[in-house]
Amino acid sequence: MFDLIELAGVNKVYRAGASEVQALIDVNVTVNKGEIFGVIGHSGAGKSTLLRCVNLLERPSEGRVTVGGTELTSLGEKELQSRRQKIGMIFQHFNLLTTATVRDNVAFPLKISSLTKKEVKARVDELLELVGLRDHQHKYPAQLSGGQKQRVGIARALANHPDVLLCDEATSALDPHTTESILELLKDINSKLGITILLITHEMNVIRSICDRVAVMDQGRVIEMGDVLSVFLNPQHPTTKGFVSQVTDMIDTEALGIRSEGRVVRINYMGNTAYEPVLFETVRSTAATFVILQGTVSRMKDTPYGQLIVELRGERKDTDHIISELRQQGLDVTIIQ
Amino acid sequence: MSFFENVNWADIWKASKETLTMLGASLFFTLIIGLIIGLVLFLTSSGQLLQNKWLYRLISMVVNVLRSVPFVILMITIMPLTKMMVGTSIGVKGAIPPLVVAAAPFFARLVEAALREVDRGIIEAAQAMGFSKGMIVWQVMVRESRTGLIAAVTITAVTLVSYTAMSGIIGGGGLGDLAIRFGYQRYRPDVMLVTVAFLVILVQALQMAGDALVRRFSRK
C-alpha cells in the first residue's frame, strides 16, 4: 500500500509567555492512499492541531510531514501554496464566504487555477451536481441549512481535484440525520473519486460509519491506532473504551462473572461469519448448552460484526472443545471466567 | 422675505461647492491612505497574517497621537507642512491636507475594526486552498468586510463635513467659512441658519446613501 500522508515524529509546542503547551507529542501517523482514516479524541486532545499539521496551517515544532511523496515541511511558501491546492479541507463551521453565492463559493478556489472562464463554469456545474445543490446555486450561505452549507464546503474543497480531503469535525455542527447524509457523501467521494480522507471527530459514530482505520488521541499523543473493527472490538486504553461505549453498551464483564455457573466467554466475529449459525452448530455437536448474557450485532462501515458474551454450561471437555472449534472457525474467543 | 434679507444666495452656492470640493478631495485621499494604514494595523496585529508587534505599536501610536489632537489645533500646527505641500495654508486648497491628516487615522481605526469582524475561519479556509497573503487580503478580507467598510466610509465622510466647517475658523473656505464670517462675526443669524441647514442636508444625504449601500451589499 502506498502512503499518501505521513506524519513522522511530529511535535507541536505552543508558547504563551512563560508557559508551554505541548499540543502534539511524538505523533507518527501514516494514511494509506484511498482509505478513510479517522482521528478521534476529546476536545484539547490535539486532533485539530494534528489535522492542521497536514497542510501546515500549523507548522510542527519538530518532525516531518509528507503528502503524496512531497515533504511539505521542506517547501518554501510559494511551493507550499501550490501543493495546498491539491489538499482539500472542510470545516466544522463551513467557513464559506458570506458575500458570495453558492456558485461563487464553489468557484472561489479556481481563481488560483489556470482554468479558463468556460472551464470554471463546467467544473462548477459538475461539482454542484455531485453535491446536489444545482437548485440552490444562486443562494447565499445565510439562506442555506447546515447540511447544505457543508455540501458547498465539500464542493469547494474538491474544486481543484485534490488527492486528499481533510475534514475538521465536518459533522459536529449538524443534526444526526444530516450527519448521516454528509457521511454518505464523503463515503461516495472516497469510493467513486478515490480521494483519500483524513477526518477528525469526537463522535465514535462517525468513525464507525465510514472509517477504515482509526487513531485515538489523548493529551497530545496517539494512544491507539489500527483497523476500526479491531480497535472497536478490543479497545485497550480507557479513553478508547469511553468512545466505544458511545455507540454500544459496553459489556460489563465483571458484573456478569459473579453470578454465572458455567464458563463465560466473549466471542467477537465479523464479516460473513456474522450470518452463519456457527455458535449454535458447534454447541449442538456436544452435550453442552449455552446462554447469551449480552450481545451486540451491528455493522462497521460495510462489515457486519458481532460481539457476544456467552455462558457455556456443560462438561469441561465439551466446553474446551467448543472454544477450540470456534477459534478454528476464525472467531475471536476470549475466556473471561 | 425679510428674514433672509442678508442671505446672498450666490455666496451660498459658491460656499456649498467649495465644501463639496473639500469634502470630495479630502475623502478621496483619506480613504486611500486610511485603508492602507488600517490594513497594515490589522495585518500586523497579534495573530494575523503579518503579525509584527513593534510595527503595530509604532503605527498605533502615531494614529493615536494624530487622533488626540483636536482638529482646529492640528490644522494650525501643521500649517507649515500644508504650505509646503499645496503652496498655501488657507482656502479650499489649504484645508485639504489637514483634513486628510486628521481623518485618515480615524478611518484607519474604523477599517481595522471592520477587518477584525471577518471570520477567522474564512481566512483559514483561503489559506488551506493555497491563496497567497495578498490575495487573502483583497479577495477575502476586504470583500467579506465590505459592509463594515462602507459604514466606515459613511462615518468618515460625515466627520469630514464637520471638519470642513471648522476649517472656516482659520480661513478654510466653504460653508463653515461663510457661517463664521457672516453669521457669527457680522451677527447675521439668517446666514447662519441657511449654512447650518445646508450642512444638515449634506450629512443626511451622505448617511442615507451609505445606509442604502450597506443594505445593498449585506448578505447576512
Side-chain angles (χ1 to χ4, degrees):
Chain A
M1 257 186 286
F2 178 57
D3 306 340
L4 194 63
I5 301 173
E6 193 194 359
L7 301 181
V10 169
N11 281 284
K12 175 74 188 181
V13 184
Y14 288 110
R15 288 192 178 79
S19 67
E20 270 188 9
V21 181
Q22 184 99 40
L24 294 177
I25 304 163
D26 192 30
V27 169
N28 294 284
V29 172
T30 306
V31 179
N32 300 319
K33 191 170 164 51
E35 74 177 343
I36 302 184
F37 190 99
V39 177
I40 191 166
H42 295 293
S43 55
K47 55 192 193 305
S48 178
T49 308
L50 182 148
L51 191 76
R52 279 165 177 70
C53 277
V54 174
N55 59 1
L56 296 197
L57 285 176
E58 297 279 359
R59 212 164 252 282
S61 311
E62 253 178 280
R64 272 185 303 114
V65 177
T66 310
V67 178
T70 315
E71 195 189 321
L72 300 190
T73 30
S74 70
L75 295 183
E77 186 166 295
K78 280 272 166 293
E79 295 159 305
L80 175 62
Q81 280 164 7
S82 88
R83 187 63 186 87
R84 275 177 178 165
Q85 292 183 41
K86 295 282 179 196
I87 305 173
M89 189 169 187
I90 58 173
F91 305 85
Q92 179 175 6
H93 298 295
F94 325 120
N95 297 348
L96 304 176
L97 290 170
T98 59
T99 53
T101 60
V102 167
R103 196 176 177 87
D104 291 344
N105 262 294
V106 175
F108 193 68
L110 297 172
K111 278 187 190 227
I112 44 174
S113 70
S114 53
L115 298 189
T116 64
K117 242 183 172 165
K118 214 170 138 192
E119 288 168 325
V120 168
K121 189 186 174 301
R123 179 70 186 140
V124 173
D125 284 338
E126 200 180 339
L127 290 160
L128 289 171
E129 196 64 55
L130 177 77
V131 299
L133 285 179
R134 270 216 104 127
D135 298 340
H136 301 284
Q137 57 176 317
H138 298 301
K139 286 188 178 168
Y140 286 91
Q143 298 165 288
L144 301 177
S145 69
Q148 289 168 331
K149 285 184 200 171
Q150 196 56 286
R151 282 169 186 273
V152 179
I154 292 170
R156 179 177 74 174
L158 299 180
N160 277 315
H161 297 283
D163 37 23
V164 185
L165 181 62
L166 306 177
C167 308
D168 177 17
E169 298 270 5
T171 57
S172 300
L174 305 174
D175 63 64
H177 179 73
T178 315
T179 294
E180 209 172 295
S181 80
I182 293 293
L183 292 177
E184 270 312 306
L185 178 60
L186 290 176
K187 209 157 114 183
D188 264 11
I189 286 166
N190 170 255
S191 62
K192 290 186 187 144
L193 305 177
I195 294 173
T196 307
I197 295 178
L198 172 59
L199 63 84
I200 62 168
T201 183
H202 60 266
E203 296 167 314
M204 196 59 199
N205 175 44
V206 172
I207 303 284
R208 184 176 69 167
S209 347
I210 66 167
C211 292
D212 299 303
R213 287 200 304 142
V214 63
V216 185
M217 286 195 75
D218 190 44
Q219 293 175 7
R221 288 175 204 277
V222 173
I223 50 168
E224 220 165 319
M225 183 157 63
D227 289 340
V228 172
L229 217 50
S230 51
V231 171
F232 199 83
L233 293 176
N234 282 307
Q236 302 299 314
H237 194 278
T239 305
T240 316
K241 287 179 182 164
F243 281 120
V244 171
S245 72
Q246 280 180 5
V247 283
T248 49
D249 296 328
M250 272 300 271
I251 294 168
D252 186 354
T253 47
E254 278 168 32
L256 287 168
I258 297 163
R259 56 154 295 284
S260 66
E261 334 166 354
R263 298 174 81 184
V264 179
V265 295
R266 181 175 63 212
I267 306 169
N268 290 334
Y269 53 95
M270 58 188 86
N272 286 329
T273 43
Y275 299 123
E276 302 292 332
V278 179
L279 177 63
F280 181 73
E281 294 288 349
T282 311
V283 174
R284 196 167 64 165
S285 70
T286 68
T289 58
F290 69 96
V291 182
I292 296 175
L293 301 177
Q294 198 165 9
T296 318
V297 180
S298 189
R299 189 174 260 282
M300 190 108 35
K301 199 173 181 187
D302 299 318
T303 314
Y305 75 94
Q307 184 166 60
L308 294 178
I309 303 283
V310 172
E311 182 187 340
L312 300 172
R313 292 182 186 172
E315 301 263 331
R316 181 80 186 191
K317 69 171 173 48
D318 283 339
T319 55
D320 276 347
H321 170 75
I322 291 167
I323 290 166
S324 71
E325 185 63 26
L326 289 175
R327 281 179 176 156
Q328 251 175 29
Q329 301 261 3
L331 275 59
D332 169 29
V333 183
T334 316
I335 298 161
I336 295 169
Q337 186 193 316
Chain B
M1 223 167 75
S2 65
F3 184 72
F4 288 127
E5 63 189 344
N6 298 316
V7 179
N8 178 338
W9 293 101
D11 280 354
I12 297 282
W13 281 124
K14 185 170 167 278
S16 299
K17 268 191 272 179
E18 282 176 4
T19 291
L20 287 176
T21 309
M22 286 194 287
L23 176 65
S26 59
L27 188 60
F28 177 77
F29 291 111
T30 296
L31 297 190
I32 293 174
I33 297 168
L35 182 65
I36 293 167
I37 300 174
L39 278 170
V40 174
L41 271 177
F42 175 73
L43 291 172
T44 55
S45 64
S46 127
Q48 301 304 332
L49 293 180
L50 303 174
Q51 180 175 344
N52 184 329
K53 201 160 73 184
W54 293 108
L55 188 60
Y56 179 80
R57 282 186 186 175
L58 178 73
I59 299 173
S60 183
M61 201 184 73
V62 173
V63 165
N64 289 347
V65 167
L66 289 174
R67 288 198 54 209
S68 33
V69 182
F71 177 64
V72 178
I73 313 276
L74 180 81
M75 196 169 173
I76 296 165
T77 314
I78 66 163
M79 267 180 172
L81 181 76
T82 306
K83 197 154 187 185
M84 228 168 63
M85 286 171 73
V86 293
T88 173
S89 61
I90 56 162
V92 171
K93 235 176 165 183
I96 292 168
L99 287 171
V100 175
V101 172
F106 174 70
F107 181 60
R109 282 292 186 205
L110 297 178
V111 169
E112 187 192 0
L115 292 172
R116 222 171 273 293
E117 290 297 305
V118 177
D119 188 347
R120 190 91 193 74
I122 301 177
I123 296 168
E124 192 182 40
Q127 279 180 297
M129 283 174 217
F131 277 73
S132 66
K133 285 173 183 169
M135 288 190 85
I136 291 174
V137 169
W138 297 110
Q139 313 243 13
V140 180
M141 291 180 179
V142 171
R143 178 192 180 129
E144 282 291 304
S145 61
R146 64 189 187 185
T147 53
L149 292 177
I150 294 168
V153 171
T154 311
I155 296 169
T156 306
V158 168
T159 305
L160 274 171
V161 170
S162 85
Y163 284 180
T164 61
M166 264 191 264
S167 77
I169 294 175
I170 55 153
L175 288 166
D177 174 49
L178 204 66
I180 286 162
R181 282 195 293 126
F182 291 85
Y184 176 62
Q185 289 164 351
R186 295 184 199 173
Y187 307 107
R188 288 179 186 166
D190 49 352
V191 175
M192 189 65 113
L193 195 67
V194 171
T195 53
V196 169
F198 270 57
L199 289 171
V200 169
I201 291 167
L202 181 55
V203 168
Q204 282 292 336
L206 287 170
Q207 190 65 50
M208 280 165 68
D211 290 348
L213 283 173
V214 168
R215 273 197 305 279
R216 162 87 180 69
F217 285 109
S218 179
R219 294 287 178 260
K220 297 222 168 159

